[in-house]
Amino acid sequence: GAVVSQHPSWVICKSGTSVKIECRSLDFQATTMFWYRQFPKQSLMLMATSNEGSKATYEQGVEKDKFLINHASLTLSTLTVTSAHPEDSSFYICSARVIRGVDETQYFGPGTRLLVL
Amino acid sequence: AQKITQTQPGMFVQEKEAVTLDCTYDTSDPSYGLFWYKQPSSGEMIFLIYQGSYDQQNATEGRYSLNFQKARKSANLVISASQLGDSAMYFCAMKEGYNQGGKLIFGQGTELSVKP
């Protein structure tokens, strides 16, 4: 399968600071990547769709100015949590869309655990 | 209405036995895809198996098979010969439409525990 990396794997920061999370497709190009958020013992919640070279599409209820997404190249998408607060503490996970003919799959990164103090 | 429903919050299975994890879905789109992912305690999401709505045969990948019953709108995951390493959360997911941006809708998950 395709390999997706995420960096950092975990981060602790002070309230009010910004945190950048990188998502990279290592052995393929991804025009579309997705960012999810997951709380303990819950399912994944899609935050936004990141398209290379264009603005991200955010899901309803997700603050665009708080969660900045940039997809500057075919192998890299970044999520910046601006002015982080304790309620932003969560597990953030990205995925990359792979299309093969009429089939497609999403391959996920290992996730980033964010703790805001 | 829930588009993906996993009714089993937790399941136990004896090592080496088979187990079925339930998943039902709801869509009016004739073109869709169904996925199963495994999430161990480390958090990574591991792709297991995929079934397209037009696929005639049930998908299989090693010890994983997908029992696809289109009329009943169910896509149950069958794990044969369970291993201790199979203990994890399992998520069923659906993608609607061939070119709807590829967004996945996830179920609530089933926590599988394999007993030695």
Side-chain angles (χ1 to χ4, degrees):
Chain A
V3 180
V4 177
S5 72
Q6 239 178 286
H7 179 80
S9 55
W10 61 274
V11 58
I12 302 173
C13 69
K14 291 183 180 179
S15 187
T17 60
S18 293
V19 175
K20 180 186 278 189
I21 302 170
E22 293 185 347
C23 178
R24 292 182 186 273
S25 56
L26 296 187
D27 51 0
F28 65 101
Q29 293 181 331
T31 54
T32 304
M33 291 184 174
F34 301 89
W35 286 96
Y36 296 84
R37 184 174 182 178
Q38 186 181 30
F39 291 106
K41 298 291 185 183
Q42 293 189 23
S43 188
L44 278 71
M45 182 191 78
L46 179 65
M47 299 175 66
T49 302
S50 170
N51 294 299
E52 187 268 338
S54 64
K55 289 184 179 180
T57 304
Y58 290 82
E59 295 300 301
Q60 194 172 10
V62 177
E63 298 176 59
K64 301 178 184 182
D65 296 332
K66 179 151 192 69
F67 299 101
L68 299 179
I69 290 171
N70 183 273
H71 196 154
S73 78
L74 287 171
T75 59
L76 173 65
S77 175
T78 60
L79 167 68
T80 301
V81 183
T82 61
S83 187
H85 287 94
E87 57 266 28
D88 298 326
S89 298
S90 189
F91 185 62
Y92 294 87
I93 189 165
C94 71
S95 70
R97 185 186 186 193
V98 176
I99 300 175
R100 296 191 180 97
V102 297
D103 291 336
E104 65 174 273
T105 306
Q106 281 189 32
Y107 291 94
F108 285 80
T112 297
R113 298 191 187 278
L114 171 63
L115 177 61
V116 184
L117 301 177
Chain B
Q2 290 278 1
K3 292 224 170 188
I4 291 283
T5 303
Q6 293 180 254
T7 57
Q8 307 153 313
M11 288 277 287
F12 288 92
V13 65
Q14 203 68 39
E15 192 179 9
K16 298 181 185 177
E17 292 185 351
V19 63
T20 298
L21 306 184
D22 294 342
C23 173
T24 57
Y25 60 92
D26 183 25
T27 181
S28 57
D29 197 320
S31 175
Y32 54 90
L34 298 157
F35 303 77
W36 276 93
Y37 287 88
K38 172 185 177 182
Q39 187 178 41
S41 57
S42 58
E44 60 183 315
M45 292 285 284
I46 302 168
F47 167 70
L48 296 178
I49 199 166
Y50 167 80
Q51 179 88 41
S53 58
Y54 295 117
D55 293 341
Q56 296 295 316
Q57 293 187 322
N58 287 344
T60 59
E61 289 286 348
R63 294 186 299 112
Y64 305 108
S65 60
L66 201 151
N67 184 0
F68 182 44
Q69 298 189 42
K70 200 169 182 177
R72 297 180 61 186
K73 293 190 174 179
S74 74
N76 299 338
L77 176 71
V78 180
I79 306 175
S80 62
S82 298
Q83 302 172 355
L84 295 178
D86 293 335
S87 294
M89 282 290 288
Y90 288 81
F91 290 97
C92 179
M94 177 174 66
K95 174 190 71 70
E96 290 178 295
Y98 174 60
N99 227 2
Q100 296 297 319
K103 292 198 293 187
L104 288 181
I105 305 164
F106 282 87
Q108 290 306 105
T110 295
E111 186 169 13
L112 178 66
S113 298
V114 181
K115 296 195 277 189

